Amino acid sequence: MRRSDIWGAPNVLPRDPDNGLDDPTNKQYYYWDGKILKGPDGKYHMFASRWDQSLGHGGWVRSVAVHAVSDNAMGPYKDTGMTWSDDRGGRGHNVTALQLPDKRYAVVVSETRPGDVFVSQSPDGPWEHLGSIQVDANGFNRRLGAMSNVSVMLRPDGKFEIVPRSGAILIRNDGILGPYKIQGPSVYPGIMPEGMPLGNLEDPVIWYSGGLYHIVVNCWSEKKAFHLTSEDGITNWKNRGIAYDPTTNFVRYKDGTVNHWEKMERPNVCLENGHVKYFTFAVIDVPKEEDKGNDNHGSKVLVVPFDGVAFDRDTQKIVKAEKREAK
């Protein structure tokens, strides 16, 4: 139910606090990140980060990783607490998650930790610190493998693939800890406006659907995200244009109500039956530097439904047409 008596600038009101992971009272936490996995119990498990709202947005450097649960993919999600409160006080940011080939669950955190991996037999925990991701520069600049904004996936061929903030592709044949080999330079050149540094790109998410590997990467300065595809997930990444633009009427309710979030970052995907069913975004209602804590502003994890079946069908048509034109 959309409400106006909760935190948020006029551009995000009225809004539904039961969507995603949110503290409607704005008295306890800000939430960020947000990766959804559907568990064997039929529930939806979200892995995110949180910090004390009194610290303002800058408090993200002190964030902890948390687990939240819902009966519905759209929410509301109930925060069940820190995933590993006994390890460095629960520290964790850039939180993402996946299921491993042996059916265990893994949560990966970066930026404030060096690509640390925690594993559990259940999405409810308990979680064990498996170790930190290792990278083999493979003759390339080692900084390309820095563990920042890490997105990790299990490929259909059983290999693990990582894309960090740098936009380099990292591959490991088996074992989530690596060492991963850097496959080449960043795949981002050519997608940014002229003169815009590649460092302004962040928060990539990588997945496989419709016979293609996909990356969506956010540009914090442009407040837009770009979509790239590749057939093998390593080479020949092609820029498909704007993935989403928060300045447009993108977050829209069925009755036409629109929310314009100031920033929509940390995109992630939830796949069902091989297609993207939902996108998640970490969103904030005002410029980050204006969120001081103990005010009427904040951040949450937003869940947006997505027609991945139509998306994959249409993308395949485009790729097939390109191949015909190339002959």
Side-chain angles (χ1 to χ4, degrees), residues 1 12 33 93 117 163 177 202 242 256 284 294:
M1 181 178 67
V12 300
D33 301 316
H93 197 69
V117 179
V163 56
L177 290 183
E202 62 180 3
I242 299 296
I284 186 170
N294 293 322

Side-chain angles (χ1 to χ4, degrees), residues 164-217:
R165 179 172 182 159
S166 70
I169 302 298
L170 285 58
I171 298 290
R172 169 64 178 174
N173 288 342
D174 61 85
I176 191 170
L177 290 183
Y180 290 78
K181 287 184 179 292
I182 299 176
Q183 301 298 301
S186 174
V187 301
Y188 296 156
I191 72 172
M192 291 287 282
E194 186 175 353
M196 189 70 67
L198 289 181
N200 290 22
L201 290 168
E202 62 180 3
D203 297 341
V205 57
I206 186 168
W207 78 92
Y208 179 85
S209 66
L212 293 168
Y213 291 84
H214 303 262
I215 290 175
V216 167
V217 59

Side-chain angles (χ1 to χ4, degrees), residues 134-156:
Q134 302 299 309
V135 177
D136 176 354
N138 196 28
F140 297 96
N141 190 323
R142 181 167 291 277
R143 286 181 296 179
L144 291 168
M147 292 292 102
S148 173
N149 295 178
V150 165
S151 178
V152 57
M153 66 168 291
L154 180 63
R155 294 164 51 102

Side-chain angles (χ1 to χ4, degrees), residues 94-108:
N94 286 177
V95 181
T96 189
L98 69 159
Q99 191 167 21
L100 303 177
D102 63 7
K103 303 305 180 184
R104 288 183 301 170
Y105 294 85
V107 174
V108 181

Side-chain angles (χ1 to χ4, degrees), residues 47 67 82-84 86 105-107 118-120 122-129:
F47 298 91
H67 168 240
M82 289 186 282
T83 46
W84 46 79
D86 58 346
Y105 294 85
V107 174
F118 292 80
V119 294
S120 174
S122 164
D124 293 306
W127 297 90
E128 172 191 359
H129 185 211

Side-chain angles (χ1 to χ4, degrees), residues 4-81:
S4 296
D5 60 336
I6 51 179
W7 67 263
N11 44 290
V12 300
L13 296 176
R15 64 178 183 83
D16 183 3
D18 287 339
N19 174 282
L21 180 58
D22 193 337
D23 175 9
T25 69
N26 211 27
K27 299 297 184 184
Q28 291 184 293
Y29 303 119
Y30 291 162
Y31 290 102
W32 206 249
D33 301 316
K35 168 66 177 181
I36 298 172
L37 297 178
K38 190 174 184 180
D41 54 4
K43 295 182 181 295
Y44 293 87
H45 299 260
M46 181 185 288
F47 298 91
S49 61
R50 78 177 188 207
W51 62 94
D52 191 320
Q53 66 80 28
S54 67
L55 301 174
H57 188 79
W60 71 266
V61 296
R62 296 169 60 179
S63 62
V64 298
V66 296
H67 168 240
V69 183
S70 177
D71 292 325
N72 189 309
M74 296 287 288
Y77 284 83
K78 179 182 179 181
D79 181 346
T80 67

